Amino acid sequence: MTDISFAWSALGGDPGLVQRITTVEREGALTARLPVRDLARACVGACALAAAELAARRAALAEVPAVRVDDGALATAFVSERHLLIDGRAPVTFAPLSRFWRTADGWVRTHANYPHHRARLLSALGLLPSGEGHGGNGDGNGDRDGGGDQDALVAAVASALAERSALDVEEAVYAAGGLAVALRTPEEWAAHPQHAELAARPLVERGRLGTARARVLPSLTGTPLLPAAGVRVLDLTRVIAGPVATRTLALLGADVLRVDPPHLPELADQHADTGFGKRSAALDLATDRAAFEELLAGADVVVTGYRPGALDRFGLSPEALAERRPGLVVAELSAWGAYGPWARRRGFDSLVQVATGIAAVEGGDGQPGALPAQALDHGTGYLLAAAVLRALTEQSHDGGGRFVRLALARTAAWLTEAALGAARGPERDQGAPYDSPAPWLDETDSRIGRLRHARSPLAFTDGPTIWPRPPGPWGTDAPHWS
């Protein structure tokens, strides 16, 4: 099955519940050659249904609340980082060195938003400016300066890349710890061993982590229905997909504490977009283990968004976490998946689009293209939140720890194989065309300024519509549960 039923089935949901979904269709929303709007409907619809199912379970409702998926809300939320304004200022979403470049035989895309990734890219190309190291600059915003020096550096990178093959650049930058991916067609990616590993895995990997009873969550009363109320979520994610998942859990009532290493600050604007509903603490896992173990002891869910294996030295594999905190739900997210030759590579949505053939399909006239949104990030984020919600529902029946695992590249495979049909329930409403995001934007005061931001696209009967708190400055909250 290729519509929302496919996503819901991948989550282990009851097929009959898909009938609770109604879709509002709007022409002009997330227009692309690939069925990205259907991807958005499927991911958000499945997440909203998982939330409604858990709410019904905890509130002892006779039936699962009805879910409504509106294309306008999807189209706005899937580019939330572009709609964000902070005191009227629009963030810069990509740094000057994060872009497509021509090579001697094709194209390559780089990602250099973070200072350390920028430095590694330049080092691999022999262009590291004198005195520049591999660390961050401390402000969390990367190098986004204009001016002649920046223009000269862009020209120097373009010249260096034009003399090398795309695959040579890909390997050289990866060896230096940076991020660059050669443009591939869908056919070229289909022949890649990493694709073979992904094709052998389900869209959502799910499994048990022991038989210990999970903490019993109290019954829900009143409205709005907050299906994740009382759930403590330890958020060890970065950038978009993982933070979108935990931002969604926060909307649904979870106590979400994001923890980052002090020496790797999140980009300030990125944090402002995805920090809604959460608290943010800086904690060094190498030196503050006692504080982390105290947090783990009180957690119900741990969400990780680092490369597979990157956190294992801290004892943060699903098995190690469940051994120390029986009954835990562990949700893992990565760019390329947990298996295969690229499993331990860093990656971002823009790079996954390039490797998996999406950029080739969306391009034209010899130029690579891109989806109208970082839809792999946002879509996988909502699927990850849905997987956590479904794990909590399953726990309420038979206990036991759970793990769930998703990858941007696996979501990309779902999209590029055109495996998506009309992601809707049995009822369909035709709404007005999508010609403005205004109906799905809000303004909120916060400690970091007045924010214009996208609303959550999740909608179910008596569900929440606003986050309990706006984002605050990164890393300034105490590392303990509310």
Side-chain angles (χ1 to χ4, degrees), residues 285-307:
L285 297 184
T287 59
D288 298 328
R289 287 310 298 269
F292 178 81
E293 293 301 323
E294 184 175 347
L295 289 172
L296 177 61
D300 301 295
V301 178
V302 174
V303 185
T304 66
Y306 291 78
R307 288 173 298 134

Side-chain angles (χ1 to χ4, degrees), residues 426-444:
E427 297 185 14
R428 175 176 51 171
D429 294 336
Q430 187 64 46
Y434 180 76
D435 54 13
S436 170
W440 299 280
L441 296 175
D442 276 334
E443 291 200 8
T444 303

Side-chain angles (χ1 to χ4, degrees), residues 102-106 124-126 159-166 168-169 172-173:
R102 278 193 177 275
T103 63
D105 61 350
L125 300 177
S159 177
L161 293 176
E163 299 175 354
R164 303 172 69 167
S165 74
D168 173 57
V169 172
V173 175

Side-chain angles (χ1 to χ4, degrees), residues 221-249:
T221 58
T223 56
L225 289 170
L226 298 173
V231 176
R232 291 173 171 172
V233 178
L234 194 53
D235 178 359
L236 306 178
T237 69
R238 294 179 71 80
V239 197
I240 296 179
V244 163
T246 52
R247 180 180 71 182
T248 301
L249 295 173

